[in-house]
């Protein structure tokens, strides 16, 4: 094959594009493999969820976890959600995939509770398309009913882009979800373009500061910005989760600023469910020890 290609290219002259387009073909083929694979990934059981612990900044106890999807592709290996979620979103496959994630997260959380482990809130990411899908409420209700999970242990993360589109519809949907007893969080805060006015109307429960801000906390302006965001969130009745906390300096600054929850590599990376379970078992024995003292 290679010889043929070479021969053809030579015949067609020096500027032959077949030669130069070859690396592109590899990329294009990978995309196509991913696109086709995405359609069958659910039935082939290729997705799994990791859980990244969230800690109370004061007590350092694990109070929650964010469920983060992973795709183990049979040929391409492990694929990051940053690479396939946009594809799932544009093809509409995010609807069944998102429903799957929601169901698994609820079931897993309930299973931990049934094992007598300290209850935590599990946060699930909702994509824009999923949020506006007309079947959202019924699929959430189904996930809650089938798992028997109390809705107070479920948190849904939405992004700021939502805040800009048809505010009234957005407002009603958020309210309907909160009426079920679910906590609503705004994810990646500061990277989108939500107006402060919308933020006030939405009355969300949790604001997650994006990790790009946390990385800037050492600078005077970065510090000022974060403390402004935290104070604003508090005055709107929200609690704050800092995402992407990696250093002791960042942790200490956030504690000083009364940020409630910490999620980041300084404590834990996203964990396999077995490792999350081991962590909860250790947390449980800490609580038992405290009680028996
Ligand atoms: P996200 O919702 O903002 O999730 C946080 C991301 O930051 C995760 O990346 C997490 O591993 C990473 N992270 C957490 N702490 C640190 C840290 O200290 N340092 C660094 N460098 N990174 C940290 P991940 O798991 O690759 O997920 C990427 C994005 O994919 C998520 O960003 C979310 O937007 C999307 N995603 C993941 N799972 C789902 C899902 O089930 N549904 C939807 N719709 N989107 C999902
Ligand atoms: Mg998130
Ligand atoms: Mg985020
Ligand atoms: Mg993100």
């Amino acid at each position: 094959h290679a010889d043929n290609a070479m021969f053809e290219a030579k015949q067609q002259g020096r500027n032959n594009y077949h030669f130069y387009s070859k690396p592109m073909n590899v990329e294009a083929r990978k995309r196509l493999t991913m696109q086709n694979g995405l359609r069958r990934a659910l039935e082939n059981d290729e997705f799994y969820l990791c859980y990244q612990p969230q800690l109370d900044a004061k007590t350092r106890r694990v109070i929650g976890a964010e469920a983060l999807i992973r795709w183990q592709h049979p040929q391409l290996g492990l694929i990051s959600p940053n690479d396939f979620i946009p594809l799932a979103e544009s093809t509409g496959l995010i609807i069944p995939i998102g429903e799957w994630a929601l169901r698994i997260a609820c079931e897993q959380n309930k299973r931990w509770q049934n094992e007598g482990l300290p209850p935590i809130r599990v946060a699930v990411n909702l994509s824009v398309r999923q949020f506006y899908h007309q079947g959202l409420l019924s699929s959430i209700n189904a996930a809650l009913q089938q798992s028997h999970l109390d809705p107070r242990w479920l948190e849904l993360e939405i992004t700021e882009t939502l805040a800009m589109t048809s505010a009234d519809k957005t407002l009603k949907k958020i309210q309907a979800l909160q009426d079920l007893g679910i906590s609503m969080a705004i994810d990646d805060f500061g990277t989108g373009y939500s107006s402060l006015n919308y933020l006030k109307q939405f009355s969300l429960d949790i604001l997650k500061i994006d990790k790009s801000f946390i990385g800037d906390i050492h600078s005077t302006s970065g510090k000022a910005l974060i403390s402004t965001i935290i104070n604003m969130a508090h005055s709107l009745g929200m609690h704050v989760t800092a995402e992407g906390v990696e250093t002791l300096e960042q942790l200490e600054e956030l504690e000083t600023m009364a940020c409630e929850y910490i999620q980041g590599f300084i404590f834990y990376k996203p964990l396999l469910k077995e490792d999350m379970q081991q962590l909860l078992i250790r947390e449980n024995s800490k609580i038992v020890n405290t009680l028996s003292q």
Side-chain angles (χ1 to χ4, degrees), residues 64-253:
E66 178 174 8
L68 295 158
I69 196 167
R70 299 289 180 262
W71 181 16
Q72 184 65 52
H73 189 282
Q75 281 88 41
L76 301 174
L78 191 60
I79 306 177
S80 153
N82 286 324
D83 292 332
F84 72 86
I85 291 291
L87 191 63
E89 176 98 344
S90 66
T91 54
L93 286 167
I94 192 65
I95 301 302
I97 295 172
E99 283 175 356
W100 175 87
L102 204 60
R103 184 170 56 80
I104 298 300
C106 289
E107 279 174 6
Q108 183 59 70
N109 200 13
K110 183 65 184 184
R111 207 169 299 136
W112 285 327
Q113 291 181 7
N114 285 344
E115 281 165 27
L117 297 170
I120 59 165
R121 203 164 51 205
V122 171
V124 179
N125 291 281
L126 287 189
S127 77
V128 178
R129 189 152 174 179
Q130 227 184 324
F131 181 84
Y132 286 116
H133 188 249
Q134 97 285 351
L136 178 72
L137 250 90
S138 61
S139 68
I140 287 172
N141 269 317
L144 288 169
Q145 274 163 22
Q146 281 165 22
S147 64
H148 302 285
L149 181 75
D150 186 325
R152 66 199 269 222
W153 302 114
L154 177 62
E155 181 176 316
L156 296 176
E157 298 188 1
I158 56 176
T159 55
E160 273 182 291
T161 29
L162 285 179
M164 288 304 285
T165 40
S166 56
D168 195 47
K169 207 169 146 193
T170 310
L171 211 85
K172 286 199 175 115
K173 211 144 193 182
I174 292 173
Q175 188 60 57
L177 293 167
Q178 285 173 324
D179 288 346
L180 291 176
I182 296 168
S183 300
M184 295 299 295
I186 186 157
D187 199 5
D188 303 340
F189 184 81
T191 61
Y193 10 54
S194 75
S195 90
L196 297 181
N197 193 37
Y198 284 148
L199 203 60
K200 188 182 78 185
Q201 291 179 45
F202 288 161
S203 67
L204 297 161
D205 305 281
I206 287 161
L207 182 152
K208 296 189 78 174
I209 305 181
D210 192 70
K211 52 178 172 288
S212 56
F213 291 95
I214 306 302
D216 259 1
I217 209 167
H218 53 86
S219 74
T220 314
S221 59
K223 205 174 303 188
L225 203 55
I226 293 173
S227 107
T228 304
I229 294 173
I230 293 175
N231 290 336
M232 177 204 64
H234 287 166
S235 63
L236 293 174
M238 286 183 266
H239 286 167
V240 179
T241 303
E243 193 164 67
V245 182
E246 292 182 346
T247 69
L248 194 60
E249 184 196 6
Q250 292 164 355
L251 179 65
E252 285 170 351
E253 286 291 351

